[in-house]
Amino acid sequence: MARGELIKKLLESYGDENAFRAAAEVIISEEESKRNQLLAKALRRTLNNGMSGSKSSPNRHQTVSRKQEAKGLMPLASAPGIANEFLEEVDTAYSHKEVVLSAENKKIFSDLIVEFRASDKIEKTGLPLRSKLLFCGPPGCGKTMSAGVFAREIGLPLYVVKIDRLMSSFLGETATNIRKIFEFATKQPCILFLDEFDALARARDDASEHSELRRVVNSLLLFIDRLKIRGYLIAATNYEKSLDQAIWRRFDEIIWFEKPNFQMIDRFLKTRFKNARPDFSVHDYVHELDGYSYAELERVCIGALRNSVIQSRDHVSKFDFEKAWQNEERRRKNIAKR
């Protein structure tokens, strides 16, 4: 449809929510087909905000709590259409400068971004793009944060799968639910993020698993094979040894996340305190924090910043940091006893 006709249809449908959204979606899809991802994303968010506003609901960005912001991922809106029940769009509060990755992982993500930006040239040759990524590693080591920052860098919305809703108590419905989210991802350019992937993709030779769950894995393998996503499927797991062996070859890239080494801990602390003017050298604590995950380091940093605010200081003191560190040590020891 010509652009002039689309605009006319959009204006004529004002007041009719369904018709207005349909016309707006066509315009957004056109921008997506032209690879104008940033504009398309902005238009879609404006559309969703407008639709929310028409129902007298608060602006979604205004309702994000400081607690949610501190976690880095902020809920935005549910996915439109049949996948609405199982997906939630989220945004990240972090930039690529705040993510500390190994040299190997930085190279992988850099190459993926370059590849995405050259996708038109690649597709013209008939070559496939890497679109299915598997993130493996212990909890708290940057898998979810990296997915959010990657989405932000390439300008695609990030939809997180609500795994608890996807896994229906009626096991026969779980495969149907998975099909719905994959169908959504073939129509909506996005990053589909499947956390706790091992809950769906458990090894079929595990004698403890129900036969119906094995059928879910069979369906999942078939869906991944057939998926022609307009963006990326990212699956993440803390328990890669639990995955079915047939899962591995379904992914174009497997990215391993490990707990940070000394150099990465040092970079992380300096990044988090870059505007806090600490009156001590954070480098002095690097070896003391060996074995900490990024999530644990983040809690120490936030705790230190919070302590400085409570004491009305314009900087983070050694006392602020050590108090937060001691709290995290107590937490770690108590968890280890369980």
Side-chain angles (χ1 to χ4, degrees):
M1 188 181 295
R3 176 53 61 95
E5 287 298 314
L6 271 176
I7 294 174
K8 180 181 176 184
K9 187 175 182 66
L10 188 71
L11 294 175
E12 288 175 345
S13 63
Y14 185 75
D16 182 339
E17 182 174 319
N18 291 332
F20 186 86
R21 175 176 280 281
E25 289 284 358
V26 173
I27 292 175
I28 293 169
S29 295
E30 279 195 358
E31 296 303 325
E32 289 169 341
S33 68
K34 297 174 185 176
R35 296 285 177 182
N36 295 331
Q37 300 294 355
L38 291 175
L39 174 58
K41 186 176 181 181
L43 290 173
R44 188 173 300 285
R45 287 184 177 172
T46 300
L47 175 65
N48 288 335
N49 276 338
M51 290 304 190
S52 298
S54 67
K55 297 177 182 177
S56 301
S57 60
N59 183 295
R60 61 185 177 183
H61 290 293
Q62 292 175 342
T63 59
V64 174
S65 69
R66 292 179 66 183
K67 181 178 179 182
Q68 290 169 325
E69 289 179 0
K71 291 181 179 179
L73 287 177
M74 302 180 290
L76 293 181
S78 296
I82 58 173
N84 175 56
E85 182 182 354
F86 312 114
L87 297 175
E88 184 176 28
E89 184 186 0
V90 300
D91 203 354
T92 182
Y94 294 109
S95 73
H96 70 280
K97 295 179 180 178
E98 296 173 285
V99 180
V100 180
L101 297 171
S102 66
E104 179 180 89
N105 286 353
K106 284 176 67 175
K107 180 68 166 58
I108 294 172
F109 279 113
S110 177
D111 287 348
L112 286 168
I113 292 169
V114 170
E115 182 178 301
F116 176 80
R117 290 172 180 168
S119 57
D120 285 343
K121 289 195 293 185
I122 295 171
E123 288 173 342
K124 284 178 182 177
T125 67
L127 293 170
L129 294 169
R130 287 178 291 177
S131 61
K132 300 166 188 176
L133 315 177
L134 178 60
F135 291 1
C136 299
C141 287
K143 296 186 293 295
T144 302
M145 184 193 298
S146 293
V149 173
F150 181 60
R152 183 174 184 174
E153 285 297 300
I154 63 177
L156 287 179
L158 175 69
Y159 287 98
V160 175
V161 177
K162 302 172 186 175
I163 195 73
D164 57 328
R165 296 189 185 181
L166 195 71
M167 298 284 288
S168 173
S169 57
F170 301 100
L171 290 174
E173 294 181 3
T174 300
T176 301
N177 297 343
I178 297 171
R179 178 178 53 78
K180 287 178 180 179
I181 64 170
F182 278 25
E183 285 179 353
F184 170 82
T186 63
K187 299 172 184 176
Q188 161 70 50
C190 66
I191 291 179
L192 186 66
F193 186 62
L194 244 173
D195 202 1
E196 299 179 14
F197 187 55
D198 47 278
L200 287 176
R202 280 198 166 310
R204 287 168 292 180
D205 58 6
D206 186 340
S208 66
E209 292 298 348
H210 192 281
S211 60
E212 185 60 37
L213 288 174
R214 296 191 188 103
R215 284 194 281 274
V216 168
V217 177
N218 290 337
S219 298
L220 177 65
L221 293 170
L222 182 62
F223 293 151
I224 294 176
D225 275 339
R226 293 179 176 177
L227 179 63
K228 305 295 181 185
I229 191 167
R230 297 173 65 188
Y232 294 88
L233 167 67
I234 299 180
T237 178
N238 301 332
Y239 304 102
E240 60 271 10
K241 291 182 179 178
S242 299
L243 297 180
D244 191 274
Q245 285 301 306
I247 284 291
W248 299 96
R249 67 180 180 81
R250 262 73 182 187
F251 288 89
D252 305 313
E253 193 67 66
I254 299 171
I255 303 178
W256 299 90
F257 292 78
E258 304 290 346
K259 288 187 176 181
N261 59 28
F262 296 142
Q263 291 77 17
M264 295 163 73
I265 293 172
D266 194 37
R267 291 209 313 271
F268 185 90
L269 294 178
K270 288 177 179 176
T271 297
R272 291 299 181 268
F273 289 128
K274 64 181 180 182
N275 297 320
R277 300 191 303 112
D279 65 359
F280 63 98
S281 173
V282 295
H283 179 75
D284 294 343
Y285 290 88
V286 166
H287 285 78
E288 302 289 348
L289 296 168
D290 183 31
Y292 273 53
S293 69
Y294 285 123
E296 291 168 332
L297 293 172
E298 182 82 344
R299 278 194 294 271
V300 172
C301 294
I302 290 175
L305 291 165
R306 187 165 51 235
N307 291 337
S308 71
V309 170
I310 291 171
Q311 297 300 322
S312 301
R313 279 192 276 271
D314 61 357
H315 64 279
V316 172
S317 71
K318 185 175 181 179
F319 173 81
D320 297 328
F321 184 85
E322 290 194 346
K323 183 178 179 181
W325 173 33
Q326 288 166 8
N327 281 337
E328 189 60 29
E329 275 289 289
R330 172 183 49 79
R331 175 190 171 109
R332 295 180 91 225
K333 287 176 182 176
N334 286 335
I335 291 174
K337 293 177 183 176
R338 301 297 184 264

